[in-house]
Amino acid sequence: SNMGVCHRTVGECTCNSGFFGGACEFMGCVGEDSEKSCSGHGECLSMRELGLRHKDAGGSSTPISYGSDPNGAGTWDADRIFGCNCDDGFEGYDCSLRTCTVGVDPEVLTLTACSHRGVCDHDTGRCKCFRGWGSSDGSGSLGPNNDCGHRLKLRGYP
């Protein structure tokens, strides 16, 4: 695989960082142990397994059969490349970021982090709303959701 140094006399390979397997043929997840890692907030799975656990933006299970054709040129890596499947409340390639509340963007009516009216603080998992926006009830009215989906009435603004 050219991703490590193989010692032919003993039949073992020392893999480069991020690779594992007898011939360093697998690209693992990010972290100290490329087979486990994911910042302790998820599990390291093959591309095939990640496809089977796929969820849409609303969180509903929508499996994708990635690599089901063993001769498919576009999915040869189904069992060779691994990525993190993050636990609820975490995101990012290595599951190190806290997830912020997803709310409805009031202009285009799509679900997005912080209703597209704030910035997600990935250390705390809380939205920092832009001026004029605050926490909603999920329907645009004032509420407890911390999603920046409620337009505040500010003095001097309509």
Side-chain angles (χ1 to χ4, degrees):
S1 69
N2 229 13
M3 291 299 135
V5 177
C6 291
H7 312 284
R8 296 177 192 268
T9 54
V10 291
E12 293 180 0
C13 296
T14 303
C15 300
N16 293 346
S17 178
F19 293 85
F20 68 97
C24 306
E25 72 273 30
F26 301 108
M27 184 186 336
C29 294
V30 178
E32 299 257 336
D33 182 346
S34 59
E35 291 181 72
K36 297 182 181 149
S37 69
C38 299
S39 303
H41 301 294
E43 59 182 323
C44 187
L45 301 173
S46 69
M47 296 296 286
R48 178 188 314 274
E49 292 169 310
L50 287 168
L52 293 173
R53 294 185 185 197
H54 181 262
K55 294 180 181 178
D56 64 18
S60 298
S61 179
T62 55
I64 297 171
S65 56
Y66 187 87
S68 58
D69 176 3
N71 297 314
T75 58
W76 63 270
D77 57 356
D79 296 312
R80 300 213 176 277
I81 296 180
F82 290 70
C84 291
N85 184 46
C86 301
D87 296 336
D88 287 341
F90 292 89
E91 63 183 274
Y93 71 94
D94 63 352
C95 302
S96 66
L97 305 175
R98 288 235 175 229
T99 303
C100 282
T101 305
V102 172
V104 177
D105 180 331
E107 287 187 10
V108 293
L109 303 177
T110 58
L111 290 173
T112 183
C114 304
S115 302
H116 215 218
R117 299 290 178 260
V119 176
C120 179
D121 179 339
H122 288 290
D123 291 329
T124 64
R126 300 206 32 98
C127 294
K128 293 181 179 177
C129 301
F130 298 145
R131 182 174 166 81
W133 295 91
S135 188
S136 87
D137 64 354
S139 298
S141 297
L142 186 62
N145 289 355
N146 184 41
D147 62 358
C148 304
H150 173 68
R151 185 179 252 317
L152 302 172
K153 292 181 178 20
L154 299 176
R155 189 182 316 196
Y157 291 93

